[in-house]
Amino acid sequence: MIYLIRHGQTEFNRERRYQGRCDSPLTEVGRRQAHAVGVRLSELGVTDFRLVSSPLGRTLETAAIVRE
């Protein structure tokens, strides 16, 4: 099974700015969103998985929070 997860809300998302390759940090909302994804995966019984993400900080932080 493959689950595609988008990074949580960033500062640029909140400001409605295009970010592209710029590395805008996650907001507190974005961190809560990532945590909710991790909880939902756990509820679905998805516990043994591999995360793959881009090297941007917003995606790495989202992946780390989901992994928790």
Side-chain angles (χ1 to χ4, degrees), residues 12-62:
F12 278 23
N13 294 146
R14 185 176 61 202
E15 297 167 5
R16 298 189 181 278
R17 291 176 55 190
Y18 175 77
Q19 57 193 349
R21 294 183 193 165
C22 296
D23 203 8
S24 178
L26 293 180
T27 62
E28 189 55 40
V29 169
R31 289 183 191 91
R32 287 194 307 268
Q33 290 169 333
H35 177 75
V37 169
V39 168
R40 184 66 181 134
L41 287 173
S42 179
E43 290 170 352
L44 292 171
V46 181
T47 56
D48 184 27
F49 56 89
R50 181 170 43 156
L51 292 169
V52 178
S53 77
S54 83
L56 293 172
R58 64 182 179 260
T59 60
L60 292 173
E61 184 177 3
T62 298

